[in-house]
Amino acid sequence: MKELNYYLSLPWNVKIHKVKDEDGDYYFGQVQEIPEVRADGDTLEECYNLVMEMLASNLEVMIEDKEKIPEPVDKTYSGKFNLRLPKSLHKKLAEEAEDEGISLNQLALYKLSI
């Protein structure tokens, strides 16, 4: 079995998003390949650091227990995709973006990220 430093050097897919709920505003992060590795923090940096600490702890246990550790797949994305939608929805979103003073692209990005 490989050692901890090997696994920590891999390009893990960490997803972090901002949360606003009854507990206030904070960031929640998770490792996609190992969903039980998750943490939250007051700042983006704090959240990321806590997720990475949790990853290291989790990997140590997995290595000790000789569990199979999934390795991340390093995917390359262009950052673009085409989407067809009804004209009425296109109009509604375009008007909302205009009301907010942002581009339709920015509005769509925001709505997809929540």
Side-chain angles (χ1 to χ4, degrees), residues 7-106:
Y7 289 110
L8 289 175
S9 71
L10 296 176
W12 296 98
N13 292 296
V14 177
K15 296 292 183 180
I16 297 176
H17 63 275
K18 191 166 190 168
V19 177
K20 292 182 180 195
D21 62 18
E22 63 278 352
D23 293 329
D25 296 358
Y26 59 95
Y27 292 88
F28 174 81
Q30 185 173 28
V31 175
Q32 286 190 296
E33 294 84 0
I34 309 174
E36 57 272 15
V37 175
R38 56 183 174 252
D40 57 72
D42 293 330
T43 66
L44 186 62
E45 182 178 4
E46 178 187 27
C47 182
Y48 178 79
N49 290 336
L50 290 170
V51 167
M52 296 311 289
E53 286 176 28
M54 291 292 298
L55 177 62
S57 297
N58 197 286
L59 289 171
E60 282 182 311
V61 170
M62 293 174 83
I63 291 168
E64 287 173 13
D65 293 346
K66 295 181 175 39
E67 289 182 44
K68 181 172 174 23
I69 298 173
E71 292 193 18
V73 177
D74 189 16
K75 300 176 184 176
T76 303
Y77 298 98
S78 69
K80 295 191 272 184
F81 70 97
N82 293 321
L83 176 67
R84 296 200 183 275
L85 56 145
K87 290 178 183 179
S88 59
L89 179 56
H90 187 178
K91 178 184 180 207
K92 178 183 172 193
L93 292 171
E95 289 172 349
E96 185 178 343
E98 186 176 336
D99 291 346
E100 293 292 327
I102 59 176
S103 71
L104 179 56
N105 190 64
Q106 289 172 311

